[in-house]
Amino acid sequence: MLEGTGVPTSGQIDSVFPSDERLSKGPVAIIECYQNIPCNPCYTACNRNAIKKFEDINDLPEINHDNCNGCGLCIANCPGLAIMVVDAGYSEEEVLIKIPYEFIPLPEQGSIVKGLNREGQYICDVKVVKVINSKALDRTPIVSIAVPREYMKVVRNFGM
Ligand code: SF4
Ligand code: SF4
């Protein structure tokens, strides 16, 4: 599926998500990097040994979710926009998802935007909780959105 459409299957998405037990312990990175490419800034950005050392630059990243604290450093350093952080303990009804966002303008904190799935289809409205713009440091801005819990694995982006 990914090769033809660029969109991962639900099985591929499940394979990179942490266990429910790990999700319940707090923010954690999810790496959706499914193709072997010569790239490793996710590994070099992480100072918690959560991402296994690459033996070959073309390796797929392997994350130990138990070592990850969801700091998000890897999100801003990944050129493939392949990493998000999910905080499943955000509230009873919603999870907080931190995603890389490279479009202009950046959304306003507190605004309501359109939550989109991996195919760019509208799923539900989501609230922008935080915007971190480190473009001055040549890093990708990170936007935190509050997403209804049932769409945790579905919403992956947003539009305005
Ligand atoms: S979120 Fe932080 S701790 Fe987790 S893998 Fe990324 S850089 Fe490492
Ligand atoms: S930095 Fe991003 S694109 Fe590169 S290997 Fe890591 S997850 Fe994949």
Side-chain angles (χ1 to χ4, degrees), residues 31-32 35 47-48 54 73 82 97 99 110 115 143 151 154 158-159:
I31 305 183
E32 293 193 80
Q35 291 179 311
N47 56 20
R48 292 183 60 89
F54 283 45
L73 275 175
I97 301 184
I99 54 172
V143 177
Y151 295 129
V154 179
F158 66 85

Side-chain angles (χ1 to χ4, degrees), residues 7 14 27 29 39 61 65 69 71 74 76 98 125 134-135 141-142:
V7 179
D14 283 342
C39 181
H65 289 122
N69 67 354
C71 70
C74 54
K98 291 185 198 176
D125 287 350
S134 2
K135 261 297 185 204
I142 297 176

